[in-house]
């Protein structure tokens, strides 16, 4: 029995190599990364201007805000929850940023960033509190707060809008100036995404989020304080949406009552395309960020490829469905693999 | 045969002595509460808001809620099974675009409407196949088709709008029944509500949906065809959403790709407010009807009261949150009162013992 095993199984070194390759192939981020790289290569081959410094900068600027939102959303989705109110949080914070600069134009930018993040965290913690304390599904709670936050934004802003001229030049320059060719706000967003990725992959409390998403009951029995963890996920997601809101005010010309409306489903779509399972337990922040980049790049790519702009959204839809299909196929194969191994290995 | 049966168990005689099994108290349930709230609000509005109780109100209020009400019906059944459909508003937009383009390119109006409904049916089939037979999660799939169908609407009609629909048809969309102010279109809508209500509450298929909402596996084991049930729900949802899109187009005499955008969340909010549990297994058509009408009449009343349109969304959100956390609050209050009673009781016992 044992001799047979040694005959059929590859040597340890070989096995390490194949399993490492296998692990790479099984990465949930792989399909989305391949799609992104292919898209960029094809577009650049047809239209070299696409990869010009200015083109690259536009790509990064466009993806920055969605990247932050998708990273935050991933944290929530991984715990088998969802936050639909991010678009409204972003809108409120963006308008708040405009108001701050209108009232106190000399306020230091780092302080405004801090206030925005704090404001977002406050709104996010409200979501978390309601979800955890009232024990109602987050889909319903955040659908409610989507409307409440938006209504508050509407009431606060009314017909008022803040334009680029209302903010200090240095603040607007955050999305103009670059560091090694990367816009400052993108650098900021990338740093946040990386910190979050490391936290989710390495920290005990980060791993807990996956455990909660895989099986909330088991996580509780295991001794994880699920309420605190889920609450924290909502809080961090709110903070990131707040940061995205401040950056939005820097990047875009006008902020008003409707800023950020309708973003929520795009954000969830970006996470799903990036390999985050909608029912929790798997997926990474990096994948979601790549998903956000992909969805944003498609829009610019199709323009560069001179595809009729009306096709863009339909293609985004096809992409989302393809991503879910790939995920389904992979999980089916994985389940079959596990079953076979169980059958063999007694 | 009959003799044998009477010998085995005497089913008729003993029943008289047994206390009748009390059915669920429909007048005290979650749905009934919604209906009471709706009636109370309507009474309050009629008494205190000038011009609320008038045929004009009835007309506009009912016309405004038609699209939400229509789509809320299949959505109720879908959420009762524990699934969701986020693509409904996009299907409505797509059907609106198809209607406009077909009419503009010279097809007859009824042919165009037929095409629009047909496209909705296909969209529903597409959702249904992916969710019921391929087995993908409905939340993710319909986020995808939300983008896909809205994108196709853009492909079909671009950023044009078609507005020159025949007057008799558009007039039909907002025609009233005599002087009552009740729109004519309420008749087919009421028929749709009735059909979905009957299917959910009075057929084996409908009972099966509740079973699926509790547990798909258990439903499968008792012989419910889970896949087929889901499939037909999404087909129905596609068809009804397309009908809502046609109504939207004719009422506002404008076929555009962005018609009804964002309606999916309004519909879901109304359905959840009507007492349907997002986890499935709970909810009823009368409750949803009350939920839709409550949101509609509240919005209308606020608008009459010169409350700005933009505050209305806050009310919708607060209502939704209140409706889901109310049970938690009442449970917490109940626990608190119970422990208070227990404490008092124990204190009394202790007071009695030493004597």
């Amino acid at each position: 029995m044992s001799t047979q095993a040694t005959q059929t199984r590859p040597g340890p070194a070989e096995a390490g190599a194949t399993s490492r390759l296998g692990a790479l192939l099984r990465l949930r981020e792989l399909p989305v990364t391949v799609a992104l790289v292919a898209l960029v290569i094809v577009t650049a081959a047809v239209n070299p201007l696409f990869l010009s410094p200015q083109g690259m900068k536009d790509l990064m600027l466009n993806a920055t805000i969605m990247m932050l939102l998708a990273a935050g959303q991933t944290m929530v989705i991984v715990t088998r929850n969802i936050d639909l109110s991010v678009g409204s949080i972003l809108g409120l914070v963006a308008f708040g940023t405009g108001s701050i600069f209108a009232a106190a134009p000399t306020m230091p930018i780092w302080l405004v960033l801090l206030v925005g993040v704090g404001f977002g965290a406050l709104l996010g913690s409200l979501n978390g509190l309601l979800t955890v304390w009232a024990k109602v599904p987050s889909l319903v709670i955040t659908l409610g707060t989507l409307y409440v936050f938006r209504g508050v934004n509407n009431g606060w802003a009314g017909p008022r809008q803040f334009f680029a001229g209302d903010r200090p030049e240095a603040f607007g320059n955050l999305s103009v100036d670059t560091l090694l060719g990367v816009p400052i706000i993108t650098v900021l967003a990338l740093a946040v995404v990386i910190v979050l990725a490391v936290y989710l992959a390495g920290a005990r409390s980060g791993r807990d989020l996956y455990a909660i998403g895989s099986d909330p009951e088991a996580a509780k029995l295991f001794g994880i304080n699920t309420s605190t963890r889920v609450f924290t996920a909502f809080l961090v997601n709110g903070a990131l949406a707040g940061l995205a809101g401040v950056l939005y005010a820097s990047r875009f010309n006008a902020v008003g009552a409707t800023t950020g409306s309708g973003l929520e489903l795009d954000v969830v779509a970006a996470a799903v395309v990036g390999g985050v399972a909608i029912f929790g337990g798997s997926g990474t922040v990096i994948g979601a960020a790549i998903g956000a980049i992909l969805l944003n790049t498609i829009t610019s790519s199709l323009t560069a490829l001179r595809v009729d702009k009306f096709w863009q959204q339909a293609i985004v839809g096809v992409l989302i469905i393809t991503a879910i299909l790939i995920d389904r196929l992979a999980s089916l194969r994985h389940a079959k693999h596990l079953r076979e191994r169980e059958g063999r290995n007694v | 045969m009959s003799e044998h049966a009477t010998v085995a168990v005497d089913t008729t005689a003993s029943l008289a002595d047994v206390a009748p099994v009390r059915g669920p108290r429909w007048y005290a349930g979650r749905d009934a509460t919604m209906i009471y709230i709706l009636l109370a609000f309507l009474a309050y509005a009629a008494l205190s808001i000038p011009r609320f109780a008038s045929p004009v109100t009835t007309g506009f209020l009912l016309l405004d809620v038609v699209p939400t009400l229509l789509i809320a019906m299949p959505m109720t059944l879908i959420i009762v099974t524990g699934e969701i459909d986020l693509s409904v508003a996009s299907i409505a937009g797509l059907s609106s675009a198809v209607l406009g383009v077909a009419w503009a390119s010279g097809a007859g109006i009824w042919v165009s409407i037929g095409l629009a409904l047909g496209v909705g049916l296909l969209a529903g089939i597409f959702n249904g196949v992916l969710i019921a037979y391929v087995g993908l999660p409905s939340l993710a799939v319909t986020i995808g088709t939300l983008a896909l169908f809205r994108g196709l609407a853009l492909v079909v009609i671009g950023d044009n709008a078609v507005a020159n629909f025949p007057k008799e048809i558009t007039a039909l969309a907002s025609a009233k029944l005599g002087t009552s102010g009740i729109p004519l279109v309420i008749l087919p809508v009421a028929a749709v509500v009735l059909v979905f209500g009957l299917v959910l509450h009075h057929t084996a298929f409908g009972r099966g949906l509740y079973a699926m909402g509790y547990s798909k596996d258990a439903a499968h084991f008792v012989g419910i065809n889970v896949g087929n049930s889901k499939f037909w729900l999404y087909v129905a949802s596609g068809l009804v959403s397309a009908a809502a899109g046609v109504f939207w187009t004719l009422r506002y005499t404008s076929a555009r790709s962005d018609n009804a955008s964002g309606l999916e969340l309004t519909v879901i909010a109304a359905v959840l407010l009507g007492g349907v549990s997002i986890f499935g297994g709970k909810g009823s058509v009368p409750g949803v009807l009350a939920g839709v009408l409550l949101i509609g009449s509240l919005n209308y009343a606020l608008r009459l009261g010169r409350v700005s349109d933009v505050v209305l969304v806050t009310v919708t959100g607060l209502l939704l949150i209140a409706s889901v956390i109310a049970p938690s609050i009442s449970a917490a209050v109940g626990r608190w009162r119970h422990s208070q009673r227990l404490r008092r009781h124990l204190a009394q016992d202790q007071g009695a013992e030493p004597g």
Side-chain angles (χ1 to χ4, degrees):
Chain A
M1 202 55 193
S2 64
T3 47
Q4 202 179 6
T6 44
Q7 270 168 8
T8 50
R9 282 194 191 145
E14 232 177 301
T18 44
S19 74
R20 212 170 297 148
L21 183 69
L24 185 70
L25 285 177
R26 275 198 303 276
L27 264 187
R28 299 180 68 92
E29 297 81 15
L30 188 70
V32 65
T33 314
V34 169
L36 179 62
V37 170
L39 181 73
V40 170
I41 290 175
V42 169
T43 315
V46 175
N47 188 343
L49 273 182
F50 188 65
L51 283 188
S52 67
Q54 185 57 41
M56 287 295 284
K57 200 177 138 192
D58 285 343
L59 276 187
M60 290 187 275
L61 274 179
N62 288 338
T64 299
I65 286 165
M66 193 54 90
M67 212 159 70
L68 275 176
L69 292 177
Q73 189 71 250
T74 302
M75 243 185 115
V76 175
I77 295 183
V78 155
T79 65
R80 206 181 275 189
N81 281 294
I82 197 165
D83 187 349
L84 293 178
S85 69
V86 286
S88 300
I89 295 181
L90 178 141
L92 256 180
V93 174
F95 190 78
T97 308
S99 310
I100 290 177
F101 280 127
T106 51
M107 197 179 239
I109 290 170
W110 61 265
L111 190 59
V112 175
L113 272 172
L114 219 58
V115 170
V117 170
F119 189 19
L122 186 75
L123 296 174
S125 65
L126 194 66
N127 284 332
L129 214 64
L130 284 170
T131 305
V132 169
W133 172 76
K135 294 197 178 52
V136 278
S138 50
L139 184 81
V140 186
I141 284 296
T142 56
L143 182 56
T145 52
L146 175 151
Y147 286 119
V148 174
F149 296 161
R150 179 61 59 191
V152 171
N153 194 357
N154 284 335
W156 184 15
R160 273 186 305 158
Q161 282 198 317
F162 292 112
F163 294 101
D166 299 326
R167 66 190 184 209
E169 206 170 322
F171 182 62
N173 280 346
L174 281 185
S175 39
V176 178
D177 293 341
T178 56
L179 191 76
L180 303 172
V182 183
I184 305 277
I185 63 168
T186 313
V187 174
L188 207 62
L190 280 176
V192 170
V193 168
I194 289 170
V195 167
L196 206 57
V198 170
Y199 167 73
L200 277 182
R204 170 69 186 272
S205 50
R207 303 306 306 166
D208 283 354
L209 296 180
Y210 288 95
I212 295 169
S214 300
D215 192 335
E217 290 306 312
K220 206 174 285 172
L221 286 178
F222 190 66
I224 295 170
N225 189 344
T226 53
S227 300
T228 315
R229 295 281 180 266
V230 170
F231 173 79
T232 314
F234 274 101
L235 186 140
V236 172
N237 181 39
L240 289 192
L243 177 61
V246 179
L247 299 187
Y248 188 102
S250 155
R251 162 85 174 98
F252 290 96
N253 203 11
V255 288
T258 56
T259 298
S261 53
L263 269 183
E264 53 280 343
L265 295 179
D266 293 345
V267 174
V268 178
V272 167
V273 166
V276 178
I278 197 84
F279 288 123
S282 47
T284 63
V285 171
I286 302 285
I290 298 175
I293 298 173
L294 176 64
L295 291 189
N296 275 284
T297 308
I298 279 201
T299 315
S300 341
S301 252
L302 292 177
T303 316
L305 292 172
R306 296 190 207 296
V307 175
D308 187 350
K309 67 173 177 182
F310 298 128
W311 278 98
Q312 284 161 9
Q313 202 173 0
I315 291 176
V316 168
V318 170
L319 202 73
I320 298 170
I321 295 169
T322 316
I324 311 165
L325 272 172
I326 291 177
D327 196 44
R328 170 78 178 161
L329 287 179
S331 71
L332 279 181
R333 213 173 41 213
H334 186 60
K336 185 163 164 257
H337 183 72
L338 280 179
R339 250 199 326 275
E340 278 173 1
R341 211 167 54 180
E342 206 159 279
R344 260 204 319 267
N345 174 21
V346 188
Chain B
M1 196 51 195
S2 70
E3 193 189 30
H4 180 74
T6 44
V7 170
V9 265
D10 187 6
T11 48
T12 48
S14 61
L15 264 184
D17 305 330
V18 176
V21 176
R22 239 197 288 164
R25 292 180 298 164
W26 59 268
Y27 49 84
R30 173 77 167 72
D31 320 319
T33 313
M34 270 323 287
I35 296 173
Y36 299 147
I37 293 176
L38 173 66
L39 292 179
F41 178 74
L42 286 179
Y44 166 78
L47 290 178
S48 67
I49 299 174
R51 304 190 309 282
F52 186 82
S54 70
V56 183
T57 302
T58 335
F60 277 107
L61 203 162
L62 288 177
L63 275 181
D64 282 348
V65 299
V66 162
T68 317
L69 186 55
L70 273 178
I71 302 178
M73 288 302 118
M75 188 69 87
T76 303
L77 271 60
I78 287 177
I79 298 184
V80 160
T81 64
E83 304 286 335
I84 202 160
D85 187 353
L86 291 173
S87 69
V88 286
S90 296
I91 296 179
L94 178 57
S95 93
S96 173
V98 167
L99 172 61
V101 167
W103 167 251
S105 63
I109 188 70
W110 295 110
V111 174
S112 310
I113 291 179
L115 276 175
L117 295 180
V119 165
L121 200 66
L122 286 179
I125 291 174
F126 186 72
N127 277 335
V129 167
L130 286 180
I131 294 164
Y133 300 131
V134 184
L136 303 178
S138 56
L139 185 63
V141 167
T142 55
I143 283 181
T145 52
L146 168 101
L148 175 64
F149 297 148
R150 185 68 69 185
L152 289 179
L154 266 168
V155 171
V156 169
I157 199 168
D159 38 20
N160 306 320
V162 176
N164 58 341
F165 293 103
K167 285 247 164 25
E168 46 298 0
I169 297 287
T170 54
L172 205 60
S174 44
K176 305 279 155 52
L177 283 170
T179 52
S180 62
I182 297 173
L184 188 63
V185 69
I186 280 301
L187 292 179
V189 171
V192 169
V193 173
L194 199 67
V195 166
F196 276 94
L198 287 177
V199 166
L200 182 62
H201 298 300
H202 293 284
T203 64
F205 179 81
R207 302 305 308 168
L209 300 184
Y210 285 101
M212 285 164 60
Y214 278 112
S215 163
K216 299 246 170 6
D217 290 335
H220 175 72
F221 284 129
V222 298
I224 295 166
N225 192 328
V226 174
N228 279 353
S229 304
K230 276 198 219 169
F231 175 76
W232 287 112
L233 287 186
Y234 282 94
V235 172
S237 178
L239 187 62
V240 172
S241 304
V246 169
F247 168 76
W248 189 292
T249 313
L250 295 178
R251 183 185 173 203
Y252 300 108
T253 34
S254 166
R256 296 167 48 86
S257 63
D258 62 351
N259 271 355
S261 66
L263 191 66
E264 65 276 350
L265 295 184
T266 318
V267 170
I268 292 171
V271 168
L272 297 179
L273 185 63
V276 179
S277 157
I278 192 78
F279 294 130
K282 281 196 199 93
S284 77
V285 167
V288 169
L289 189 62
V292 171
L293 289 178
L294 180 62
I295 289 188
S297 49
L298 222 105
N299 282 355
Y300 194 83
L302 287 172
R303 222 173 295 157
L304 270 185
R306 300 240 178 282
V307 174
S308 102
D309 253 18
V310 296
V311 184
L312 299 184
V313 290
T314 319
V315 175
T316 309
L318 286 176
L319 264 180
L320 187 59
I321 294 176
S323 78
V324 286
I325 66 172
S328 304
I329 293 177
S330 73
V333 169
R335 264 201 311 279
W336 180 76
R337 280 177 52 186
H338 178 76
S339 65
Q340 286 288 310
R341 241 196 334 263
L342 204 65
R343 213 163 287 154
R344 224 172 4 215
H345 194 68
L346 286 174
Q348 268 174 10
D349 276 1
Q350 266 176 354
E353 241 172 70

